[in-house]
Amino acid sequence: MSDQQSFETLAIHAGQEADPRTGAVVTPIYQVSTYKQDGVGGLRGGYEYSRSANPTRTALEENLAALEGGRRGLAFASGLAAEDCLLRTVLHPGAHVVIPNDAYGGTFRLFAKVVARWGVDFSVADTSDPDAVRAAVNDRTKVIWVETPSNPLLGITDIALIADIARGAGAKLVVDNTFASPYLQQPIALGADVVLHSTTKYMGGHSDVVGGALIAADAELGEELAYHQNAMGAVAGPFDAWLVQRGIKTLAVRMDRHSENAARVVEMLASHPKVSRVLYPGLPEHPGHEVAAKQMKAFGGMVSFRVTGGEEAAVGVCDRARLFTLGESLGGVESLIEHPGRMTHASVAGSALEVPGDLVRLSVGIEAVDDLLADLQQALG
C-alpha cells in the first residue's frame, strides 16, 4: 500500500489486505502455535512457530511501520518488553544512556534496577534543554532517550534538535511516542532512530489489552531488533495483536476527540482557584508550546495539574472524582485520574525524577465534555 496515502487510510488498510482464503476484510485471529511446513525447511508463507512470526501479529507490525513511517515494526507483550528488547539489542556492558528527568516510572525502574546490573549506566537530563543533553553525553553514550510529551509532567522535547545531537555523538535517538501517538507526532520524520509505544494506551484505546511496539527507521536495525524479539520471546499474542489493530482503525477520530476534550478541561482548570498550575503543551505559557505546535498536529488528551493545599489535597481530588475513574493507565476512551507520586511514579521517589506531591494526572477520555467538567468541578470542591 502506498505510503502517500493519508494517515486515516493507512490506519485502516496498511498490512490488512482481505484474507486470501475467505475474503474476510478484518485480519483473522490466527490462534495457533505451529504451522505445517512444505518439506524440511520449506516454510509456508514464512511461518513455522508463532514466537517467530504469526500472521495476525505480522499485520499489526506492518501497520505500525506504515503509521510511523519506519522500515520495520515489531509488536511485544508490553511496552516494557519492547524497551527491554531495544536496550539489549543496542547496548552492551559499559555503555551509557541519557534519559529524561521526567521519564515514566517504569522506564526509570528498568534502567536503575535491571539494566544497571548489566553494567550499563545512565545520566538524567532535562531533554527540553539541548545544552543539558550535550552536557550529559559522553564517549560511551549509545542512546538518548526522549519522551515527548513526557509522563507525567508533559514536558516537550525538540525531536529534530536532539536527533542532531545524537547523530553527532554516534548515538541512537529513541522516542517514546505513547502520549502523542503517530497521529499527532511522527518522530522518525524528525530524525528519530527508533519509536517506542505502549500500545496498551492510545493505540489500543479501549483499556482491554496490554502491548508494546518498536518501529525502526533503519532496515538493518529493524532486523537486529527482530532477531532479539524472537530470541527473547516477549511477543504480542495473536488476540492482543488483533485488539491493537482494531483500536488503531479509530485512532485518528479518537485522538481528535481526546484533544478537543482536553483543551476544554485545561481551560476550566486554568481558571480554577484551587489549581496552582496546569501542565499542558497547548497552553501558550507552557515552555514547550512553540516546539509542540511545530512537531505535533494537536496537543493530545493528557493533562496534569498541581493543586493548592499540597499532597493530601491532590489525593483528595483523586478520591472524590466519580466520572474520572481512579486508575493507573491512560489513553482509553474512558477518562482516568491518578496521583503520580503514589501510583505510576512511586518507583522514582527519592530520585532525580521524583514528581511533586501536589500533582494530579488526567487521561481525558471521549465522553461528553460537559460531564467531565462537572466531575472535576465537584472533585476540586
Side-chain angles (χ1 to χ4, degrees), residues 3 20 22 40 84 90 104 109 155 188 315 362:
D3 59 7
T22 66
V40 176
D84 188 42
V90 301
Y104 165 55
R109 183 177 59 227
I188 287 175
V315 171
L362 304 177

Side-chain angles (χ1 to χ4, degrees), residues 98-102 124-134 144-150 153-159 161-162 165 277 286-289 291-292 295:
V98 177
I99 69 170
N101 64 351
D102 56 350
V124 175
D126 178 359
T127 58
S128 69
D129 179 356
D131 290 336
V133 176
R134 291 187 186 97
I144 299 177
W145 193 280
V146 164
E147 290 180 18
T148 183
S150 66
L153 299 179
L154 281 298
I156 297 295
T157 295
D158 189 323
I159 297 171
L161 191 54
I162 303 303
I165 295 173
R277 186 182 179 194
H286 188 288
H289 175 71
V291 173
Q295 68 187 21

Side-chain angles (χ1 to χ4, degrees), residues 62-84:
E62 291 178 359
N63 187 263
L64 291 166
L67 295 183
E68 285 286 6
R71 297 295 300 276
R72 185 71 181 266
L74 299 164
F76 293 84
S78 70
L80 282 169
E83 292 188 19
D84 188 42

Side-chain angles (χ1 to χ4, degrees), residues 145-221:
W145 193 280
V146 164
E147 290 180 18
T148 183
S150 66
N151 182 7
L153 299 179
L154 281 298
I156 297 295
T157 295
D158 189 323
I159 297 171
L161 191 54
I162 303 303
D164 287 340
I165 295 173
R167 279 192 294 271
K172 296 192 183 300
L173 175 60
V174 176
V175 177
D176 185 337
N177 203 27
T178 298
F179 268 27
S181 86
Y183 179 63
L184 299 184
Q185 183 169 266
Q186 297 274 312
I188 287 175
L190 296 169
D193 295 291
V194 182
V195 175
L196 165 76
H197 285 279
S198 170
T199 56
T200 309
K201 312 305 194 295
Y202 286 110
M203 303 288 265
H206 293 79
S207 302
D208 56 8
V209 62
V210 173
L214 297 173
I215 300 93
D218 175 74
E220 182 177 354
L221 176 58

